[in-house]
Amino acid sequence: MKPRIRYIGMLMICAAMFSMMDSTAAQQTFMVKDGETIVFLGDSITQGASRPEGFIPLINLFCGVNGYEVKTINAGIGGHKSSDMLARLDRDVLKHNPDWVFISCGVNDVWHQARWEGIYLPDYKRNMAEIVDRCLKAGAKIILLTSTPIYENLNSEENKKLRTYNDFLKTLAKSRGIILCDLFAAFEKIYEVKMTDENLMTTDGVHMKPRGYRLMAREMLKALGASGRELALAENRWELVNNMQK
């Protein structure tokens, strides 16, 4: 082979290698970095998410099989509303110096209004804005979760009211430049299909079955930039380890 031809061939090989490296780098879109801490702030749905079938072990499994090293902390307490979460923000969230805070709040604010213990929209707005602003001031990145439906009936009075709370979260996320993960919309797609035992997401209309937690985990990971390949790899493990068929 002549020197010039050999030189051109080597350039082509190098170009191909760099192209492959660029393609691989482009696929690395997962936003959580090794060593970072995620705190999940929420109510009983979040509190229950530490069970083997809950979204926190599922997210941990995703990270494990895809080579990410992260720390997850569950800051969910049953029955809590936006006022409760604001009151304990320093103790349960900010003291951990989180890199990421996932905020899930709204179900009890609406649901508990039936017994005069809920939080009405004006106060909810103030509470949520302060929670978000204090997390941002502490240097945390935020993913704001819309609330999952109350009862598996999209036309329930609770869900009609909950939509106005979720609409505010969308506005808040946009105004603060933070990520919104629209869980309500993801569940809405499921509930638009005629409900049977095969696609129920909850045990009581609010608290999640394994398939409900699985949907939540998938949507959260997508919000973090997980690729389809990474999700598929994790979901194979979810099937094997957590018996997600139920």
Side-chain angles (χ1 to χ4, degrees):
M1 181 182 295
K2 294 182 179 180
R4 179 175 176 79
I5 295 176
R6 185 183 297 116
Y7 176 71
I8 293 174
M10 290 176 65
L11 286 178
M12 293 176 64
I13 292 172
C14 290
M17 290 177 64
F18 280 117
S19 177
M20 291 174 62
M21 290 171 63
D22 288 343
S23 176
T24 300
Q27 293 172 9
Q28 300 300 315
T29 57
F30 194 57
M31 289 182 279
V32 179
K33 308 303 181 186
D34 283 349
E36 289 191 329
T37 297
I38 305 173
V39 175
F40 297 92
L41 176 64
D43 50 32
S44 57
I45 298 172
T46 301
Q47 185 178 36
S50 287
R51 297 197 299 266
E53 72 276 11
F55 63 70
I56 293 178
L58 297 183
I59 289 173
N60 287 335
L61 270 173
F62 168 91
C63 291
V65 300
N66 287 290
Y68 302 113
E69 295 183 9
V70 303
K71 180 181 180 181
T72 53
I73 296 172
N74 190 337
I77 296 181
H80 272 207
K81 302 177 282 289
S82 58
S83 54
D84 303 301
M85 295 183 204
L86 176 58
R88 63 184 176 88
L89 187 65
D90 287 329
R91 181 193 72 201
D92 292 349
V93 178
L94 299 183
K95 79 169 186 181
H96 298 292
N97 297 314
D99 299 285
W100 293 87
V101 180
F102 280 61
I103 304 173
S104 175
C105 182
V107 169
N108 291 326
D109 296 68
V110 172
W111 197 22
H112 291 185
Q113 289 178 25
R115 55 178 189 254
W116 305 101
E117 296 176 358
I119 303 294
Y120 291 91
L121 188 56
D123 288 332
Y124 176 80
K125 289 180 176 181
R126 284 190 289 270
N127 293 338
M128 294 303 292
E130 185 171 349
I131 289 172
V132 166
D133 288 342
R134 285 172 60 182
C135 288
L136 289 173
K137 186 176 180 180
K141 296 177 283 289
I142 298 173
I143 294 186
L144 201 54
L145 309 173
T146 59
S147 296
T148 51
I150 302 172
Y151 306 129
E152 303 196 28
N153 171 11
L154 295 174
N155 295 317
S156 70
E157 289 303 313
E158 292 83 359
N159 283 328
K160 290 177 183 178
K161 186 175 293 186
L162 188 62
R163 282 188 173 90
T164 65
Y165 285 62
N166 284 335
D167 286 343
F168 167 71
L169 295 180
K170 295 173 186 177
T171 300
L172 180 61
K174 185 175 182 179
S175 69
R176 300 303 194 271
I178 59 179
I179 299 170
L180 180 90
C181 178
D182 198 349
L183 293 179
F184 189 94
F187 278 78
E188 194 171 30
K189 289 179 182 178
I190 300 295
Y191 294 162
E192 285 173 350
V193 179
K194 184 176 180 180
M195 303 307 298
T196 70
D197 288 343
E198 297 303 314
N199 63 356
L200 290 175
M201 293 285 128
T202 70
T203 60
D204 59 0
V206 172
H207 299 96
M208 297 298 155
K209 286 186 174 183
R211 64 169 64 96
Y213 274 132
R214 183 176 179 176
L215 178 58
M216 294 180 75
R218 185 186 305 117
E219 293 301 313
M220 292 181 199
L221 289 165
K222 285 164 61 178
L224 284 170
S227 69
R229 181 193 62 79
E230 290 173 326
L231 283 169
L233 185 61
E235 287 183 338
N236 288 335
R237 290 291 300 275
W238 294 352
E239 290 283 356
L240 292 171
V241 176
N242 289 315
N243 193 22
M244 292 279 100
Q245 297 89 344
K246 300 296 183 183

